[in-house]
């Protein structure tokens, strides 16, 4: 079963606009990760935010984490056509465990129109 | 440095046949995980191997098996293929096992079962 659920399922914006995607999860976590997937290809790790962090930045990406609400958001600022992709949040299945079994959400499909 | 490489990139099989997918991790990475991604969904965990030992197994039937070799490369085998096994199979490697290791994905093997 999916641990995380992304919202919205699909998002279409114009180049230069900001894109915000949300993720909710169900269990306690050490950290939460965001990945990007271009059509039909592998996933690329974007950013990892630890459970004791509330906000993290990486270039045009800003991630927030609210552990009390079990939710996270990914903001992409000044979007570009190349940002068109599916975005997934992921958490580990067992808190503090020795495996790295990631549980992925259903993804948000972002389309950036030139 | 080379990323995670998977072979073949595409594969077409008939129901009932068997398939072997291959994965080479990033140099120095000792953990390999396999994921199945059905169209329109997030990746689903199948197996994780670390130092040639199985560390985790997802909710997949016994028709799915895997192994890891001394050079840390890995194979995923699926027997008695069903139409529902048609998916993108993703391999991911990481330096270590555990909750703080981001995964590095290959571009996947697209399996079509007819």
């Amino acid at each position: 079963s999916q641990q995380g659920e992304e919202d919205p399922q699909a998002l279409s914006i114009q180049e230069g606009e900001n894109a915000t995607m949300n993720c909710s999860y169900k269990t306690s976590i050490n950290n939460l990760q965001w990945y990007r997937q271009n059509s039909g290809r592998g996933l690329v790790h974007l950013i990892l935010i630890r459970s004791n962090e509330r906000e993290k930045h990486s270039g045009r990406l800003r991630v927030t984490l609210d552990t009390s609400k079990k939710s996270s958001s990914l903001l992409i600022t000044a979007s570009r056509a190349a940002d068109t992709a599916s975005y997934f949040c992921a958490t580990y299945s067992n808190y503090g465990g020795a495996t790295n079994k990631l549980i992925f959400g259903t993804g948000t499909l972002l389309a950036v129109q030139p | 440095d080379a990323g995670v490489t998977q072979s073949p990139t595409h594969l077409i099989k008939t129901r009932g046949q068997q398939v072997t997918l291959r994965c080479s991790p990033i140099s120095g990475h000792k953990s390999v995980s396999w994921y199945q991604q059905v169209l329109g969904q997030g990746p689903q965990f199948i197996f994780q191997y670390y130092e040639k030992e199985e560390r985790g197994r997802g909710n997949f039937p016994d028709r799915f098996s895997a192994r890891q070799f001394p050079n840390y490369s890995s194979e995923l085998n699926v027997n008695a293929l069903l139409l529902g096994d048609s998916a993108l199979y993703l391999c991911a490697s990481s330096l270590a096992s555990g909750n703080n290791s981001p995964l590095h994905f290959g571009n996947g093997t697209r399996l079509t079962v007819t």
Side-chain angles (χ1 to χ4, degrees):
Chain A
S1 62
Q2 305 284 151
Q3 158 80 310
E5 296 292 333
E6 282 91 344
D7 168 54
Q9 290 188 331
L11 181 60
S12 181
I13 60 175
Q14 297 293 319
E15 233 175 1
E17 294 181 337
N18 295 342
T20 299
M21 289 158 268
N22 303 298
C23 165
S24 60
Y25 59 92
K26 298 175 183 175
T27 62
S28 297
I29 60 170
N30 277 344
N31 58 65
L32 182 142
Q33 303 177 44
W34 285 89
Y35 287 81
R36 184 188 75 224
Q37 184 177 36
N38 289 72
S39 180
R41 297 179 66 84
L43 283 79
V44 175
H45 180 261
L46 295 176
I47 197 165
L48 180 152
I49 185 166
R50 302 188 193 285
S51 59
N52 62 352
E53 298 175 307
R54 292 296 168 258
E55 188 171 311
K56 197 165 184 179
H57 296 253
S58 177
R60 293 184 296 111
L61 305 180
R62 180 172 78 99
V63 170
T64 62
L65 180 64
D66 187 336
T67 53
S68 66
K69 295 181 179 178
K70 290 186 167 58
S71 67
S72 174
S73 67
L74 170 67
L75 169 66
I76 303 174
T77 60
S79 63
R80 307 165 182 169
D83 294 328
T84 295
S86 292
Y87 292 82
F88 295 90
C89 68
T91 58
Y92 286 109
S93 67
N94 54 336
Y95 176 85
T99 71
N100 48 20
K101 172 184 175 181
L102 274 178
I103 306 294
F104 287 87
T106 51
T108 291
L109 178 58
L110 174 65
V112 182
Q113 310 297 333
Chain B
D1 285 342
V4 176
T5 57
Q6 293 187 242
S7 64
T9 55
H10 294 81
L11 203 51
I12 299 175
K13 290 285 189 179
T14 304
R15 276 177 298 175
Q17 287 188 316
Q18 174 264 343
V19 68
T20 298
L21 311 181
R22 295 178 175 83
C23 171
S24 293
I26 292 173
S27 178
H29 284 195
K30 298 181 179 180
S31 175
V32 170
S33 301
W34 288 95
Y35 288 78
Q36 180 196 64
Q37 187 177 24
V38 175
L39 196 63
Q41 297 184 19
Q44 297 279 328
F45 175 80
I46 310 174
F47 285 109
Q48 184 208 349
Y49 278 78
Y50 179 71
E51 291 278 20
K52 300 182 288 298
E53 292 188 359
E54 183 182 300
R55 279 294 182 93
R57 173 184 285 255
N59 188 24
F60 281 81
D62 292 343
R63 300 184 295 106
F64 288 76
S65 63
R67 55 180 175 167
Q68 186 177 34
F69 298 99
N71 66 353
Y72 303 111
S73 67
S74 178
E75 285 181 354
L76 174 70
N77 294 285
V78 187
N79 294 323
L81 285 167
L82 303 174
L83 294 179
D85 295 331
S86 295
L88 180 66
Y89 288 85
L90 295 162
C91 173
S93 74
S94 61
L95 272 172
S97 186
N99 278 198
N100 293 312
S101 299
L103 301 187
H104 302 264
F105 283 84
N107 283 325
T109 294
R110 172 73 62 184
L111 173 65
T112 302
V113 182
T114 62

